[in-house]
Amino acid sequence: MNHLIVTCSLFALALPAAATPTFNKDVAPILFQNCAACHRPGEVAPFSLLTYKDAAKRAKHLKEVTQERRMPPWMPEPGPHRFLDERRLSDAQIKTLAEWVDAGAPEGDAKDLPSLPKFAEGWQLGEPDLVVEMPEFFTVPADGPDIYQAFVIPLPVEQLKWVKAVEFRPGTRRVVHHATLLLDTSGEMRQRDEREAGPGFLTQAGLDLITLQQSGGQFGSWTPGATPRFLPEGVARPLRPKTDLVMMIHYHPSGKPEQDRSKLGIFFSDKPNTAAMTTLPLAVSPRAGNAELLNIPAGEARHEVRLERKLPGTARVFGVIPHAHYLLRELKLTATKPGGQPEQILWIKDWDFNWQDRYAFAEPPLLPAGTRLELVARFDNSDANPQNPNHPPKPVRYGPNSTDEMLGTHLSLMPVDAASLAAFQPGGARPGGSSPAGESVVPPGGVPIPERARAMLERFDADADGRLTQKEIDAMPAQLRTALLERIRQARGGGSAPPTPAATEPTKPSAQTSPTVPLQLAKSTLDLTIAVRDVEKMRAFYGSILGLTALPEERPSASERVFPYKFGTTVLRLTAFDPAPAAAARAKPQEARGYRILTLVPPDLAAIEARATKAGYPAWQSPMPGGPVRMWADPDGNVVELIDGSRDAASAAGLVQRDGVMVGLIVRDAARSRAFYENVLGFPLLQERPSRALGVPGYYLKAGDTIVKFWAIPGELPNTAGTPAAHSGYRHLTITVADLEKTKAALVTNGVPLIESAVAAPASFCATDPDGNRIQFVTQKLP
């Protein structure tokens, strides 16, 4: 026994003592590799870690934040698929740092110190080929609501360029919440910028720039912690001459006035695009119709949201981009292949709003068609959440502000073949642009891009030859692709309905498409007149319930009483006739759709909702339950849509400011109606946007300070419960023009029917649109 003890003692004496870690030999390599990118002079971190002195005075702090895995800032948990540039410390590295601190943070031998790391000065991707910045400093006030400011920067590009990466550098990180980069080839955003004083122009949470994503396209984005990357091999996007960069920046006041002048670096490729990428979102948003999932009660610690999607085609996952605000605590994205088990794609157990990133896979996983993607997110709106901006907690809903909440996880996918790429397009696609019968409708050499549609279509021209091939058309969104194929089919002699004018050029002039005398509309041109049956009920609804400002009553004739109400710059005229107008003076019932929507953006939707409920007016339709939109039918069955003007998200689809108005119409033929309102009446198109609730084409056009929106519904209207069947059918728009006779001549030249005016007004006449909706033209705004 004693012999064994002696032997063991001798063996122990023979073992070398564990070496104490030193800064120069053991700690500096860890800090240089994993921390110095941010912790060095001139970068985002508040202190440097390049020297022993820097690290030693913060030794205890380094041990704490690394053991808690708060630093380096890397949120994803380890999984089956490794990400590029992972900033995760190994268990051994964390142990080394702790032992160094516990030993008193010794410096060690100077000869053991490795060389300082070398970084590209300023730009993470190296020196850009082109750097553009905001034309001047923008001042962010000390407090107040979040600001969404757009800055227009002409790009000095004189010939087609192919872009392989962009890198956004915020000027003042304390106030830059995120940035969205868009391209504009129309010049419209530059004109809008010039109309407003100061740098850039204010947007409504960026929603009023959404059309650029359809025409010029999105050019990139930035969130705190995001790592810029080059596109995969073979992927590049075109950048054409006469293009403006629109830098939309979301500012969050920091408590003191700040100045920002952010910039963008652009990296060009010497090769054109030869591959394809697409994006698949799992997100909560009004557009997705699920915004109510983010109605998070005050104090709720485990508010769970689940989203699912199936992959329509086979693709490799290049990367994944999660996004949320302060209340998210945990997010997990899994993929279940057909017949397989759930496989971790991304798992973040401890979300940090300040360190959102774009995660690219070192080896992109292959997911076959039919793979089920499931996103599970948990939000904490309790006092126990240290990131909760509200103490005590308060209810939080979906919205764009930092103190609202969001949830989105976008997968960047590379379809493996053309059929898979087509499957990922909205609504699917027939390979090769085929017709229902299976024959190809696109000539082998492609089709020329119509000059009128160049701004919308040329971004799909991958080889920039001015023509669209089968492959290029297959890459388009479903609605645009379908319209263009119909147009090609028609031009080649096949039968079809007229396509959407936004995507095609008419083959020949037709009535109500090309005015010989353009209309000269005055400012604040559009008013709305509604013939009513029960005057008192209608006045109570629009005056007492909706809170519109009553103007003096008018008596244009012995049989006509008009009760005007003002909202913003628009006048709603409730008109009572005794007796009712003769049939000849009304739009023909078999032609007019009899369905209108008046959209208002009041400052206090909650107060109106309370008054409407108390008065017994049930909600007619709620396209975004829990969101900023409500709908009611007035006593005569007219649909009134109200959008909450107290919230940044509530900007009437991003087009109308608070106290603004839109008028909605239902039409049979989108192409015909758009041609009439845009070309004949001269209302410029703001955007093409299908109705999410109805699933049909839609357009928004500007009429003075008002918006006209319409949707094309070929058959009977859905969701019309509560609209009286025996409606009087007499509603019309009133348009102020500069020259009544020239206007009338232009309408007659274009075959627009003129009709008798049922409303007495000096110097006026009436016409009908292609669906029989009445329009009154006057030379002086009424009243």
Side-chain angles (χ1 to χ4, degrees):
M1 186 69 168
N2 291 336
H3 174 72
L4 178 62
I5 292 174
V6 172
T7 302
C8 289
S9 299
L10 292 174
F11 180 72
L13 290 173
L15 288 175
T20 300
T22 67
F23 175 82
N24 290 336
K25 184 176 182 179
D26 306 286
V27 173
I30 297 175
L31 300 183
F32 289 178
Q33 179 181 354
N34 299 281
C35 308
C38 295
H39 287 273
R40 56 191 174 96
E43 283 302 320
V44 62
F47 53 83
S48 175
L49 288 175
L50 293 182
T51 68
Y52 168 73
K53 183 179 179 180
D54 292 333
K57 65 182 179 181
R58 299 178 177 87
K60 291 183 179 180
H61 177 68
L62 291 176
K63 176 182 176 181
E64 176 185 340
V65 297
T66 54
Q67 287 188 330
E68 295 178 357
R69 292 195 178 273
R70 287 189 282 131
M71 285 287 163
W74 182 259
M75 294 191 290
E77 294 292 312
H81 306 290
R82 187 174 63 85
F83 293 108
L84 290 173
D85 304 326
E86 290 188 355
R87 296 189 297 267
R88 185 187 300 109
L89 294 184
S90 67
D91 292 340
Q93 289 172 320
I94 294 174
K95 183 173 181 290
T96 296
L97 289 172
E99 290 177 348
W100 174 68
V101 175
D102 294 341
E107 182 176 7
D109 194 330
K111 70 176 185 299
D112 293 332
L113 181 67
S115 300
L116 289 176
K118 295 182 179 180
F119 297 96
E121 191 62 33
W123 299 96
Q124 297 183 52
L125 296 180
E127 190 63 29
D129 296 300
L130 173 65
V131 177
V132 294
E133 65 179 345
M134 292 162 46
E136 55 185 304
F137 283 97
F138 177 74
T139 301
V140 181
D143 51 29
D146 287 17
I147 299 170
Y148 294 82
Q149 194 79 1
F151 307 94
V152 181
I153 306 171
L155 296 177
V157 175
E158 298 180 356
Q159 60 184 6
L160 174 67
K161 295 281 190 179
W162 293 96
V163 177
K164 60 182 178 180
V166 296
E167 181 178 342
F168 177 82
R169 286 185 61 84
T172 306
R173 293 175 182 265
R174 290 183 297 274
V175 293
V176 178
H177 174 285
H178 77 264
T180 301
L181 310 171
L182 303 164
L183 297 178
D184 180 26
T185 57
S186 68
E188 181 181 342
M189 294 300 104
R190 191 188 306 188
Q191 295 174 13
R192 182 172 171 181
D193 188 10
E194 293 170 351
R195 289 195 297 266
E196 296 194 19
F201 58 88
L202 185 66
T203 79
Q204 291 294 309
L207 296 175
D208 47 350
L209 301 182
I210 195 169
T211 49
L212 296 186
Q213 297 180 6
Q214 301 170 353
S215 56
Q218 185 161 343
F219 200 46
S221 62
W222 176 88
T223 55
T227 301
R229 301 187 189 282
F230 290 100
L231 291 171
E233 184 66 28
V235 178
R237 62 170 306 165
L239 181 61
R240 294 178 169 82
K242 299 181 180 179
T243 297
D244 292 335
L245 170 69
V246 181
M247 189 182 289
M248 200 286 292
I249 302 181
H250 174 183
Y251 291 109
H252 186 65
S254 66
K256 65 175 183 178
E258 305 271 13
Q259 284 198 318
D260 175 65
R261 193 176 186 182
S262 297
K263 61 179 64 176
L264 181 72
I266 302 175
F267 300 80
F268 294 130
S269 170
D270 56 0
K271 299 178 181 179
N273 180 69
T274 58
M277 289 189 70
T278 188
T279 300
L280 188 74
L282 284 88
V284 172
S285 70
R287 184 181 298 182
N290 59 1
E292 73 281 358
L293 295 177
L294 285 181
N295 288 342
I296 309 175
E300 184 171 340
R302 293 191 63 86
H303 183 87
E304 189 173 281
V305 176
R306 290 178 176 267
L307 301 173
E308 290 187 10
R309 291 196 70 167
K310 279 191 176 182
L311 288 184
T314 300
R316 292 194 178 275
V317 185
F318 173 71
V320 58
I321 307 172
H323 177 66
H325 293 176
Y326 290 107
L327 299 186
L328 181 67
R329 300 310 311 133
E330 182 177 7
L331 177 148
K332 189 172 186 179
L333 175 65
T334 58
T336 304
K337 300 175 182 178
Q341 297 296 316
E343 181 179 297
Q344 177 183 321
I345 300 297
L346 177 69
W347 189 8
I348 296 175
K349 289 184 178 180
D350 188 14
W351 174 264
D352 189 338
F353 171 78
N354 296 303
W355 290 105
Q356 302 175 57
D357 208 337
R358 301 159 177 261
Y359 304 105
F361 291 100
E363 297 182 5
L366 178 66
L367 300 181
T371 296
R372 181 172 64 87
L373 298 169
E374 182 181 41
L375 179 68
V376 180
R378 179 176 63 84
F379 296 83
D380 184 354
N381 193 15
S382 71
D383 263 326
N385 180 1
Q387 297 192 52
N388 195 333
N390 302 309
H391 296 282
K394 66 179 183 179
V396 173
R397 299 184 294 180
Y398 171 89
N401 290 326
S402 300
T403 51
D404 296 323
E405 197 49 77
M406 283 187 172
L407 175 62
T409 301
H410 293 71
L411 284 82
S412 297
L413 304 174
M414 300 185 69
V416 297
D417 50 36
S420 292
L421 173 62
F424 278 102
Q425 301 299 328
R430 297 183 179 93
S434 62
S435 70
E439 76 278 6
S440 175
V441 298
V442 182
V447 293
I449 300 177
E451 187 61 35
R452 181 181 176 189
R454 182 166 298 280
M456 175 173 287
L457 295 180
E458 68 177 357
R459 67 189 177 106
F460 299 102
D461 183 12
D463 56 5
D465 65 350
R467 303 178 69 85
L468 295 173
T469 63
Q470 292 182 161
K471 182 179 180 181
E472 292 166 340
I473 293 174
D474 284 341
M476 295 180 180
Q479 184 179 347
L480 183 60
R481 180 179 63 249
T482 300
L484 183 57
L485 291 176
E486 284 294 319
R487 177 66 189 90
I488 297 171
R489 193 173 293 118
Q490 183 185 35
R492 299 187 69 188
S496 66
T500 304
T504 62
E505 185 77 25
T507 55
K508 59 182 180 179
S510 60
Q512 301 184 354
T513 58
S514 303
T516 56
V517 182
L519 302 187
Q520 302 175 47
L521 302 181
K523 186 178 180 182
S524 304
T525 61
L526 192 79
D527 294 333
L528 178 66
T529 298
I530 302 177
V532 302
R533 290 196 298 269
D534 192 319
V535 173
E536 296 308 316
K537 283 186 178 180
M538 292 287 279
R539 293 182 66 187
F541 181 83
Y542 285 96
S544 302
I545 303 298
L546 299 189
L548 274 62
T549 302
L551 300 175
E553 178 185 345
E554 303 170 13
R555 294 298 299 265
S557 67
S559 62
E560 183 182 354
R561 298 177 65 192
V562 178
F563 300 92
Y565 288 85
K566 185 177 178 63
F567 191 86
T569 60
T570 298
V571 175
L572 170 67
R573 303 163 61 81
L574 304 179
T575 304
F577 294 97
D578 185 20
R586 300 199 301 265
K588 296 179 181 179
Q590 68 271 21
E591 293 182 2
R593 305 307 304 271
Y595 178 92
R596 311 290 187 276
I597 290 181
L598 177 65
T599 301
L600 308 177
V601 186
D604 192 344
L605 175 60
I608 293 177
E609 188 170 16
R611 292 195 297 265
T613 302
K614 183 177 180 181
Y617 290 98
W620 180 80
Q621 181 185 13
S622 183
M624 292 185 286
V629 179
R630 300 290 184 276
M631 286 186 175
W632 284 274
D634 71 12
D636 263 13
N638 304 292
V639 178
V640 178
E641 177 185 50
L642 301 181
I643 302 183
D644 189 354
S646 67
R647 297 174 58 186
D648 285 343
S651 57
L655 294 172
V656 179
Q657 307 293 328
R658 176 170 153 176
D659 292 338
V661 180
M662 284 198 291
V663 178
L665 306 172
I666 295 297
V667 300
R668 288 188 179 88
D669 188 317
R672 181 181 63 178
S673 293
R674 175 188 164 178
F676 175 80
Y677 283 95
E678 183 178 12
N679 296 341
V680 177
L681 298 190
F683 295 171
L685 178 69
L686 290 176
Q687 65 176 246
E688 176 183 352
R689 178 185 293 178
S691 167
R692 186 186 69 250
L694 302 178
V696 296
Y699 298 97
Y700 290 75
L701 298 99
K702 186 171 178 59
D705 292 337
T706 307
I707 305 297
V708 176
K709 59 179 178 179
F710 57 82
W711 303 278
I713 299 182
E716 293 301 316
L717 301 176
N719 303 323
T720 52
T723 302
H727 193 279
S728 63
Y730 184 84
R731 283 161 283 192
H732 73 250
L733 307 178
T734 301
I735 301 178
T736 306
V737 295
D739 191 315
L740 202 64
E741 291 305 315
K742 287 185 177 180
T743 299
K744 184 180 293 187
L747 297 177
V748 171
T749 299
N750 287 277
V752 179
L754 307 183
I755 59 175
E756 179 185 343
S757 175
V759 178
S764 71
F765 71 92
C766 290
T768 61
D769 73 5
D771 277 88
N773 299 300
R774 176 183 297 272
I775 303 171
Q776 180 186 26
F777 296 90
V778 297
T779 55
Q780 183 177 359
K781 185 173 173 62
L782 302 176

